[in-house]
Structures are given as C-alpha cells and as structure tokens.
C-alpha cells in the first residue's frame, strides 16, 4: 500500500495577529500551487476579533489549532496489520501469526471497533490446557470452525450450528465407550463399524470419522435418526485429537479488559512510558475516529518521522509552538529581528526589513508568476493594513504600500473604507467583561 505524502504545517506565532494567520493561509495556498508536497495552515492560538472579521469578510475558514509539534504515534511507521473476526479459530489465528511474523492479533467488529487482542502466549496457554475437554462447548464453537480446523467434510448436520454441550472423547472400542460417552459428546472414531454405531447409540452429539474413512449408509441413517452430526477428516485419530480443541474461537481466550492501546494522536513520550512499564510487544492503534488501524512495537519508535513545519511572521523560540526542538523546520519567512532559534540543518530563511510578512509573500507570488485569488489578495491586504496601521507605523515601507495598493485592486476593496471596517471590528467590546 503506497504511503501518502507527508504533510507540512505552516504556522505563525503564539497569540496570533492578522499577519500571522493570513500569511500562513496565503503561503499555504502558494506552496500547494507549486505542488511539491502537501501543506496545511495552522494557528498557534485563538483568533482575535480583527482576524475573525477578515476571514469572514473573504469567506475563508480559519486554520486548525496547533499548540504542540512534538512527535505523536502518527509520526512513526504503524504496522497496518488487519484486524480479525472474534469467531476465528485459534488455529487460524496461530497460522496468521506464523505467516505474517507477528505475535499479537487484534479482534475487531464490522465497524473496526477494537474488541480485544490475542497473543501467541494466549494460544500456547490454551493448547497446554490438556484436560479441558469441554472447551468447544464452553466457547460455543461453530461447526464451521471444526470443519476448517480438521479440513473435514460434514456428511450430516448443519455447519452453522454451534456446540453447546458435551466433551471431546476418543472412541476406541464399544467396551470402553459404553457408559463413558455421555449425550452431546463429540466422539472421534476410526473406521470400525461397531465403534461408530456404539458412539451414536450412546447419544453422541457428533462423531468425527478419522483417516478419511468412508461412512456406511446404515451409520448415516442411524445418525440421522438419533440427531447425531457426522464429520469426516483426513487426519488420523491422534492428529485430530490434537487439533480439534484449536477450533475454539479467539473470543474465548482473548483479552478484552484494560487493553493497552494508543491513539494516533498520543505523544511519543507518553507511549514510551507505557511501553517501558509492561512486557507486551505489540500495541493496538486507534485512528482519530477511535477505529482500529494497526499496531506498533518498541522497534517502531526507532523510526520516528519528525513533524515538518514552516514558520511565518516569527523566528524566535519563545514565540513558537511547543515541541519545536523535536520538529524539522523547513523554512522561515519573517520581517522581524533575527532571534536565537536554532535548526538541525540548513533551511530556507527569508527575512526582509518590511512592515509585514504578507508583503514578502506578495513578492514571492510575483517571483513564481502567480496572481493571488481575490480571497488570498484580501488576506494579504488585511495583514499589511493591520501590521502597518495603514502605513502609519514607523516600520512601514514603500514596498508595503505598493503591495497593498496592488492587492486592493485584486481584492476589489477600497483601502481606507475597508481598513476602517477592519479596525472597528477589532475594537468591538461586545460581550467583553469590564
């Protein structure tokens, strides 16, 4: 299954202003137009009233909140191990573990809800309980499981029926069986006619004829009369006796309570602490909707993919989201002083002494030969007007004013009247406490 391209978050500073939000949205649009990766604008805090007005005015959805870029479970390679049906036999479960080289399987329902998990240790414990001859009745095993496990054929009976009573018994001779076989028992028999007939007459719920032996018509007639199920298997009596108890469904042995599981959004540090406290090897993973999506082990933690981020409108650690030291910074686009932020490798750093980050982005659109849409032009215009106080700020430059005029034409806005509306929305005290 091909992996989707990783997402890059474009994010401004904490307590974001209009420039921080609008620049993140505008740069995301530009980067996605270039098509070299998947980019998403994010915000590091709550949107103020001025910015909310701008977004509503131009019909743009606000970015999703992101306050921490520390690695999460979603940032490691999750093993997409398919979930299993809780009715699967433990022999089939063991075969799947062997074939896929995994020692833990997760049982799920049709909606991918996690029901429980079973490990190779659980299967080993089940197989070692040699004296539990009623395991098929206790677990209400279906005859479908028995047929699959024994590679058998049902000559008489309903494959969809379940075993609800009786023990597993090996019939060797009429003398031993008489008085020992109880009604409802499952009796494994050889090709001896008298042994088969005796098992049926003793009230067996089912007989399993081993070695692929033919079953006479008289036996089938007698079984039908007594309501006895007849199954044939190619295995000999010893092999059939070893295998039949493994037809029990995994739900009878799987763990269902206090399951140690993680969400894809669980921080890696929290997952490490839990993994270090137990001896389990694999842990179920649930997606954002709480549905099972795979498993992880301690080994997966070694192959960690750090989150990739682009910073706009800031370049100082104290203004950035939490966990930045554990992320890969790809680019920085800013107009402030250069702070003390360190990166693990070389990055694209564009810092221009203008009044607004949006002015730099307008220049970048031109360098790429792209014209901003009305919505993007409106966002960039709003950011410039906000940061430069309509060119009255001492940080404002002729580049800011020229960019704003060009963007106002694209957005279809009058700078003075629109700026008044924007600042009035930001100064609105409605709903605020004294």
């Amino acid at each position: 299954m091909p992996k989707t391209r990783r997402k890059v978050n474009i994010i401004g500073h904490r307590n974001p202003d209009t420039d921080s939000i609008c620049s993140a949205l505008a740069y995301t649009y530009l980067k996605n137009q270039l098509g070299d990766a998947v980019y998403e604008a994010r915000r590091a805090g709550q949107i103020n009233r001025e910015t909310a007005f701008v977004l509503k005015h131009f019909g743009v959805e606000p970015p999703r909140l992101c306050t921490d870029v520390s690695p999460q479970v979603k940032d490691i390679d999750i093993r997409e191990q398919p979930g299993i049906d809780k009715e699967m036999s433990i022999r089939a479960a063991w075969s799947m573990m062997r074939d896929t080289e995994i020692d833990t399987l997760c049982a799920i329902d049709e909606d991918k809800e996690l029901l429980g998990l079973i490990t190779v240790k659980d299967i080993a414990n089940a197989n070692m309980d040699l004296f539990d001859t009623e395991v098929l009745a206790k677990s209400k095993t279906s005859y479908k499981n028995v047929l699959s496990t024994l590679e058998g054929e049902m000559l008489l009976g309903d494959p969809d029926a379940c075993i609800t009573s009786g023990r597993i018994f090996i019939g060797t001779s009429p003398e031993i069986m008489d008085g020992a076989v109880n009604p409802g028992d499952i009796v494994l028999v050889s090709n001896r006619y008298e042994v088969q007939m005796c098992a049926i007459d003793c009230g067996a719920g089912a007989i399993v004829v081993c070695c692929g032996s033919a079953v006479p018509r008289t036996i089938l007639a007698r079984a039908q009369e007594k309501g006895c199920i007849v199954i044939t298997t190619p295995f000999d009596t010893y092999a059939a006796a070893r295998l039949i108890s493994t037809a029990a469904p995994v739900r009878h042995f799987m763990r269902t309570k206090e399951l140690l599981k993680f969400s894809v959004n669980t921080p890696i540090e929290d997952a490490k602490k839990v993994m270090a406290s137990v001896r389990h090897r694999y842990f179920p993973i649930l997606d954002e909707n709480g549905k099972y999506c795979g498993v992880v082990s301690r080994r997966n933690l070694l192959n960690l993919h750090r989150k990739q981020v682009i910073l706009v409108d800031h370049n100082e650690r104290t203004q950035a989201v939490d966990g930045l030291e554990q992320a890969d910074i790809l680019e920085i686009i800013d107009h402030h002083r250069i702070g003390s932020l360190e990166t693990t490798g070389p990055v694209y750093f564009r810092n221009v002494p203008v009044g607004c980050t949006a002015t730099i982005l307008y220049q970048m659109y031109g360098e790429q030969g792209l014209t901003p849409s009305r919505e993007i032009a409106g966002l960039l215009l709003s950011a410039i007007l906000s940061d430069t106080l309509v060119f009255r700020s001492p940080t404002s430059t002729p580049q800011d004013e020229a960019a704003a005029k060009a963007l106002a034409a694209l957005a279809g806005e009058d700078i003075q009247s629109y700026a008044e509306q924007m600042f009035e929305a930001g100064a609105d005290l409605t709903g605020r406490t004294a």
Side-chain angles (χ1 to χ4, degrees), residues 211-318:
C211 301
S213 302
V215 181
R217 293 179 186 175
T218 51
I219 293 293
L220 290 175
R222 184 63 171 167
Q224 188 166 20
E225 181 185 334
K226 288 282 193 174
C228 178
I229 291 171
V230 179
I231 296 171
T232 63
T233 175
F235 295 111
D236 60 36
T237 308
Y238 172 76
R242 291 286 306 273
L243 287 172
I244 192 168
S245 62
T246 67
V250 295
R251 61 174 161 72
H252 186 65
F253 305 98
M254 70 183 186
R255 306 172 195 180
T256 58
K257 296 180 180 178
E258 299 180 356
L259 298 177
L260 292 177
K261 54 186 180 293
F262 301 118
S263 163
V264 290
N265 295 321
T266 300
I268 289 296
E269 287 303 315
D270 292 349
K272 282 182 177 179
K273 292 176 183 177
V274 173
M275 289 182 177
S277 66
V278 295
R279 300 187 65 179
H280 302 327
R281 186 173 177 186
Y282 288 95
F283 299 82
I285 303 300
L286 308 182
D287 64 15
E288 285 88 349
N289 299 315
K291 307 297 185 181
Y292 170 80
C293 63
V295 295
V296 295
S297 66
R298 294 181 182 87
R299 184 177 61 183
N300 295 122
L301 298 180
L302 301 175
N303 191 22
L304 175 65
H305 306 292
R306 288 150 61 107
K307 282 186 167 62
Q308 296 179 328
V309 297
I310 293 176
L311 306 182
V312 294
D313 200 33
H314 72 297
N315 71 85
E316 296 193 51
R317 176 67 190 86
T318 55

Side-chain angles (χ1 to χ4, degrees), residues 12-13 20 60-61 70 124 144 149 153 161 164 192 194 227 242 297 345 412:
H13 53 74
S20 179
V60 178
E61 288 293 321
S70 301
K144 277 185 178 178
T149 301
E153 178 185 358
T164 57
R192 292 179 59 188
E194 64 275 16
R242 291 286 306 273
S297 66

Side-chain angles (χ1 to χ4, degrees), residues 364-387:
M364 296 175 74
Y365 268 83
E367 292 164 5
Q368 296 295 333
L370 295 174
T371 301
S373 65
R374 177 187 176 274
E375 293 77 17
I376 296 299
L379 296 180
L380 292 172
L381 170 65
S382 303
I384 295 172
L385 296 179
S386 176
D387 256 23

Side-chain angles (χ1 to χ4, degrees), residues 388-428:
T388 65
L389 300 176
V390 197
F391 322 123
R392 294 192 296 269
S393 169
T395 60
S396 181
T397 69
Q399 297 175 68
D400 297 302
E401 191 167 351
K405 290 178 179 178
L407 290 165
L410 292 172
E413 298 288 348
D414 177 74
I415 288 179
Q416 292 301 325
S417 62
Y418 174 68
E420 289 176 7
Q421 296 177 57
M422 185 175 70
F423 291 138
E424 183 179 345
D428 184 14

Side-chain angles (χ1 to χ4, degrees), residues 143 154-158 177 181-189 195-209 215 218-231:
Y143 278 104
M154 182 172 281
L155 303 182
L156 196 64
D158 179 10
M177 294 165 62
V181 174
N182 297 319
D185 285 351
I186 300 172
V187 183
L188 279 63
V189 297
V195 172
Q196 297 172 7
M197 187 62 76
C198 180
I200 295 170
D201 287 340
C202 288
I207 62 170
V208 178
V209 182
V215 181
T218 51
I219 293 293
L220 290 175
R222 184 63 171 167
Q224 188 166 20
E225 181 185 334
K226 288 282 193 174
C228 178
I229 291 171
V230 179
I231 296 171

